[in-house]
Each structure stands twice: as C-alpha cells, then as structure tokens.
Amino acid sequence: MKHFDIAVIGGGAGGLAAAEKADRLGMDVVLLEREPFLGGILNQCIHHGFGLHHYKEELTGPEYAMRAIDDIERSGVTIKTDTTALDYKKLGGRFTIRYTNAEEGERTIEANAVILTSGSYERTAGGIRLPGERPKGVHTAGKAQRYLNIEGYMVGRKVFILGSGDIGLIMARRLTLEGAEVKGVAEIKPHPGGLTRNVVQCLHDFDIPLYLSHTVTDVRGDENLEGITIAEVDDAMQVKEATEKHFEVDTLLLSVGLIPDIATLGDVHYAIDPRTNGAIVDQTYQTTQDGLFAAGNALHIHDLVDFVTEESLRAALQAAAYVKGEVPPREKQVDVVTGETISYALPQRLNGDYLDKSVTFSLRSRHAYEKGTFLIKQRGETIERFKRRFINPAEMEHLVVEGGRIARGSGVEIILEGSS
C-alpha cells in the first residue's frame, strides 16, 4: 500500500493551492480529483473578475485555474484525475483512503493527514421545495453555466432567476449577451445574495429587475415550463397577499445557495456546524477528527476564489506542521461564540496551547451596514477592534488577530456593532 504524508481530496482552486503548498513544505502529497481535468468550477467561469487579490491581476476562471495547474505540474505532487475517493478511515493514527479510476481500478492508499477541498454543490428544486408543477426548463444556475460555457447549449430564451447568488447574477448577464430575455431575479431576503459589483455589472447595467423580499410561489407547465408567479414575503418569510407577479418564461434558473460537498466522502466522524453545513474547525483548519483538515467551499461558502486559495494555503501550512509533530495536542479548547448580528464565524474553537500564532477569523454579518466595528472580546474585555465600511452579508470579512493576544483560559466572543 502506497503511503503519503498528506492526501488532498478535490482538485479545484483550494486543492491545487493546498497540494502545491504542502509539496513546497517537504511533504509527500497525493491529489485526488474526480473530474477528468483539474480546476474545478473555474473551468466554466469564463468571465473576468478572478485573481485580483491573489495574483494581483484580473483573470478569467480558466486563466486562474491554469496558473494554479502550471504550479502544481512543476511540483512533486502525485496527481490522480478522473479518480473518485470512495471513503476513508482512521486506523492506528493514519488514514486509509479507498479510491477508484479506470486505469487502476479500486486501490487504497495511506496518509498521515487529509485535507478536504472537495468544493460544494447547488441546492436544487427539491432541496428548496419549489412549489408548482415539475416541467422541463428548471435548472440550477451552475448547471446552466456549464451547458452554455462548456457544452455550447443555450438553456432558454425567456428566463427568470430565483436567488441572487453570484452564479445566478453572472448567468443573467451571460444569457442576455447571448440573446435571451432575462425577465428578472427574485431574492427572498431583503438584500442581494451576491457581490455588490455583480449586482451592478450583471443586473443594473442591463436593466434587469431585482425583486428583493420575493420568492417563486408557482411553477406552471405541462411538459415544458410555461410561466412562473412570484410574490413578496414579509420578515417571517410568509407570502403577502395580493403581491403576485406573473411571468411567461421557458426557463427558471435556481441560484439559491451552495452546500459544502463533504457528507459522502468519509467513514470518519467529525462535528458539523449547522450554520455553514461544513466542519467545525480550530485555527489550524483541523476538524474535530485529528489529522483531518478542511478548507475552501468544502468548509464554508466563499464569495471569491482568491479567498479559497489563501485559506487553503493556510490549511496546508498547518497540515504540514501537524505531520511534523509541531502542533500540540488539543487538550485545552477555547470556544468562539458570535453576537446576534453575525451569521457565523470560523474557526469555531481554538487550540488553547497554540495561541502564540496569529488567528484568521472568517465571518459574515446578518445584515447590511453603512459602517460597523467588529469587537473581539475575552472575559468581557475588548482585546481587538476592527472598523469596516459597507458591511454586506454577501461579502465575507476577515479579521486577523496577532499571536499572543488571545489568552488560554476562557472563550472568545465576536460582536458586530453596526449602523445603517
């Protein structure tokens, strides 16, 4: 049985970054990717807007992917594409990972540590209990993007989009440029779900209406989609009477959220955070299972691929330290809690014996604010404060607390004080 220091599961932006970084740190690394090609979702994202943070220039998705692929192909990482990780187990302090591909059949390898960078999947019509009939013409936005950008199929001519996630916003513009009539975007929340720049560039610039606090209440059609109805919702997400709007469409795209794709990968038990649907981790990105790390959209949903890359680099650094025995056992835990104005924050807990290193908190607010201050508190005292302008739930915030600022003995609270 072949043995590796680290196994990386998933070959998108996060997996490419983590594997290449671990290799540069002297680790013997294997990367398993179920698709025939590396790059993940980047391969179908042909629009610009990637790389501004990490590469300091604007790239398309495929260009961003090729930068990372070029780096890993120059490394010593063992790359296995078109390879599905079937399961993994923890035996005697090591992980055994069973995978399959057409060339090797079913094989098993060992690794001292595993990094999950397996990305995410889209919520479907069944997942959100979309009301009405079930005709042809209802697609997830990501699937429609793949049909159009990779396979060359136009999904429809009269389109409505439910949900204002970034892929849905980008597809509104993409379909308009291809000659479709995009009749509108409905978002159940009172604020957009995607980046502000995408709302402006993909909707406002093309005069596509955005219906905030609205959802689809009916889907009509026998064999093919013929029309939909949307209606306004109140603060409790209940439909308001006499607010219906009807649209004749042949296509409905769903951009209603992503879910970390980790549930089917393992026979190893670790705690899940119901707020993110991803793993609970400490500041090293280690899950509650020793030696199992998670990063990128497999951990929580990011708005920028640059942040996926940077988080995965940090996870690889810590996974390599774990393999080298440089991370102390997690005997003293420091819990991280959030105030009511914060949707979630991670890490959700800290290794109390590893607080001499800086900690990067990633978090999202519940509401939009013109300005606000994030407070890091311990024992009721503020130990750090971070002022921000234009806080948006769709845009992740990152707070870096230098090593030594957090004490071992008690929990940490993160509070957002904002004003509209």
Side-chain angles (χ1 to χ4, degrees), residues 280-349:
I280 291 175
V281 296
D282 65 15
Q283 71 266 45
T284 70
Y285 300 95
Q286 189 173 194
T287 70
T288 53
Q289 174 65 57
D290 288 349
L292 180 63
F293 297 77
N297 283 355
L299 177 58
H300 60 132
I301 303 305
H302 293 61
D303 41 274
L304 293 179
V305 70
D306 302 66
F307 295 157
V308 168
T309 295
E310 291 168 7
E311 182 176 275
S312 300
L313 291 172
R314 295 193 295 269
L317 177 66
Q318 299 298 342
Y322 170 85
V323 172
K324 295 175 183 178
E326 298 173 355
V327 177
R330 297 179 291 182
E331 296 177 354
K332 295 182 176 64
Q333 297 283 316
V334 175
D335 290 328
V336 178
V337 298
T338 58
E340 293 182 356
T341 54
I342 295 175
S343 177
Y344 77 85
L346 61 82
Q348 298 93 335
R349 60 186 58 167

Side-chain angles (χ1 to χ4, degrees), residues 81-93:
T81 55
D82 215 1
T83 297
T84 300
L86 299 173
D87 60 39
Y88 51 92
K89 300 179 180 180
K90 187 82 176 287
L91 298 172

Side-chain angles (χ1 to χ4, degrees), residues 145-290:
Q145 185 183 58
R146 182 181 180 90
Y147 282 156
L148 183 56
N149 292 347
I150 292 183
E151 300 178 24
Y153 296 119
M154 190 69 174
V155 294
R157 292 293 174 183
K158 295 181 179 180
V159 182
F160 198 93
I161 299 172
L162 174 59
S164 59
D166 286 307
I167 298 179
L169 297 176
I170 288 163
M171 283 304 293
R173 176 180 62 187
R174 182 78 174 92
L175 287 164
T176 299
L177 292 172
E178 288 294 329
E181 180 186 3
V182 179
K183 298 197 172 187
V185 176
E187 169 57 55
I188 196 169
K189 295 180 181 179
H191 53 76
L195 296 172
T196 300
R197 74 184 191 202
N198 285 333
V199 174
V200 173
Q201 296 172 4
C202 300
L203 299 187
H204 295 175
D205 288 355
F206 292 88
D207 295 322
I208 298 173
L210 173 60
Y211 300 94
L212 295 175
S213 298
H214 279 74
T215 191
V216 171
T217 57
D218 190 28
V219 173
R220 301 184 301 279
D222 185 9
E223 185 172 342
N224 298 305
L225 181 62
E226 298 171 3
I228 64 163
T229 298
I230 70 171
E232 190 175 353
V233 299
D234 59 23
D235 292 342
M237 300 298 174
Q238 299 300 309
V239 173
K240 294 183 178 180
E241 294 184 5
T243 61
E244 292 84 0
K245 301 174 182 67
H246 306 284
F247 299 88
E248 293 183 3
V249 295
D250 58 24
T251 304
L252 175 64
L253 299 188
L254 306 179
S255 182
V256 289
L258 302 169
I259 301 173
D261 189 8
I262 58 173
T264 61
L265 285 179
D267 190 31
V268 174
H269 298 290
Y270 50 93
I272 299 293
D273 188 336
R275 299 171 299 176
T276 64
N277 291 309
I280 291 175
V281 296
D282 65 15
Q283 71 266 45
T284 70
Y285 300 95
Q286 189 173 194
T287 70
T288 53
Q289 174 65 57
D290 288 349

